[in-house]
Amino acid sequence: MKRKNIYYLTPALLAIIVFASNFLSTDLFKAGYQNFSVWFVLSIFSFACGWLINKTLGYVHGGKVVFAVIVASAFISVLLISFFNEYFGVNNLIVENMILYILRNITLGAMAFFGMAICEVIHYRHGFANAQNKNEEYEKTIELAQKEAKIILEDAKLKAEKILYEAQKNLQSIIDAKNEMESRIKELIAAEKDLINKYEKEEE
């Protein structure tokens, strides 16, 4: 697959989405439905980015790029929280909160992988349907070829039987002509014998 540089804008957008999730509250349900809706929208965007990455960069290479985006985003998030822990409100239990932020990045990255997987499954499903249609066409072609071969074989048998009948007919004609010729020769020989006998009697 030929990869253009513009295709890497989608992983860049995914990185921005994953990084932007760091500025949302970690406590989704206590923050209200509005914050949960934002998380849902971010998940949908991550899913769409994964779909586009699979379409443009392919499943294998795109998966490597998405994994690199997740690792890079998690690393930057750790650095950001470490330097601006007061802004993020993680003065206490900083390790646990870092793990929570990393898990959020991984979750959005997993949504991108999910989008890639769904796109790949649909692609293979479409390919399988096309292969099935081609297989049915091949089966129909084979069936038609078998019917044509059967017709040709029957026609060849009829022609062979006709040729055999004509050959037997000609052979019988030749045998009849031979028998008739032998009969005439025998009659001729018998007539000559009679003439010779008569000639001998007259001389006596």
Side-chain angles (χ1 to χ4, degrees):
M1 181 185 293
K2 186 178 180 181
R3 303 183 184 98
K4 298 179 181 178
N5 292 331
I6 195 171
Y7 291 162
Y8 291 94
L9 290 178
T10 308
L13 178 61
L14 177 63
I16 292 171
I17 292 171
V18 173
F19 181 74
S21 68
N22 293 321
F23 298 94
L24 295 176
S25 174
T26 57
D27 202 348
L28 298 181
F29 296 101
K30 287 184 179 179
Y33 290 105
Q34 183 179 2
N35 199 18
F36 181 77
S37 301
V38 173
W39 268 99
F40 181 76
V41 171
L42 288 177
S43 299
I44 293 296
F45 280 142
S46 297
F47 180 89
C49 287
W51 186 290
L52 289 174
I53 289 169
N54 188 74
K55 285 283 188 182
T56 54
L57 299 178
Y59 188 75
V60 177
H61 183 70
K64 294 177 181 178
V65 172
V66 171
F67 181 76
V69 167
I70 295 171
V71 172
S73 299
F75 180 74
I76 294 172
S77 298
V78 169
L79 292 179
L80 192 67
I81 295 166
S82 298
F83 287 109
F84 303 100
N85 54 352
E86 293 181 359
Y87 175 80
F88 289 98
V90 290
N91 292 325
N92 298 322
L93 302 176
I94 188 168
V95 176
E96 288 81 355
N97 281 281
M98 281 184 179
I99 293 173
L100 183 59
Y101 276 97
I102 291 171
L103 286 176
R104 293 196 307 177
N105 294 340
I106 293 173
T107 301
L108 290 178
M111 286 299 297
F113 276 118
F114 182 62
M116 292 179 65
I118 294 296
C119 180
E120 193 72 6
V121 167
I122 292 174
H123 173 71
Y124 279 114
R125 176 62 183 170
H126 183 67
F128 177 75
N130 289 337
Q132 216 170 13
N133 292 333
K134 288 182 180 179
N135 189 31
E136 290 177 359
E137 291 178 0
Y138 289 150
E139 287 179 355
K140 290 179 181 178
T141 304
I142 290 172
E143 187 178 353
L144 289 173
Q146 287 176 345
K147 288 181 179 179
E148 290 179 359
K150 188 176 180 181
I151 292 171
I152 292 170
L153 184 61
E154 289 178 354
D155 186 51
K157 285 182 178 179
L158 289 174
K159 288 182 178 179
E161 289 177 358
K162 185 178 180 181
I163 293 170
L164 182 60
Y165 174 75
E166 292 292 334
Q168 289 176 347
K169 187 178 178 182
N170 292 334
L171 180 62
Q172 189 62 40
S173 299
I174 293 169
I175 291 171
D176 292 340
K178 176 179 171 285
N179 291 335
E180 185 179 355
M181 187 176 292
E182 287 178 352
S183 178
R184 288 181 181 179
I185 290 171
K186 287 178 181 179
E187 289 177 359
L188 181 62
I189 291 171
E192 288 181 354
K193 283 182 178 179
D194 291 339
L195 287 174
I196 292 169
N197 290 333
K198 287 180 182 179
Y199 181 74
E200 290 177 349
K201 286 178 181 180
E202 288 178 356
E203 285 184 351
E204 292 177 355

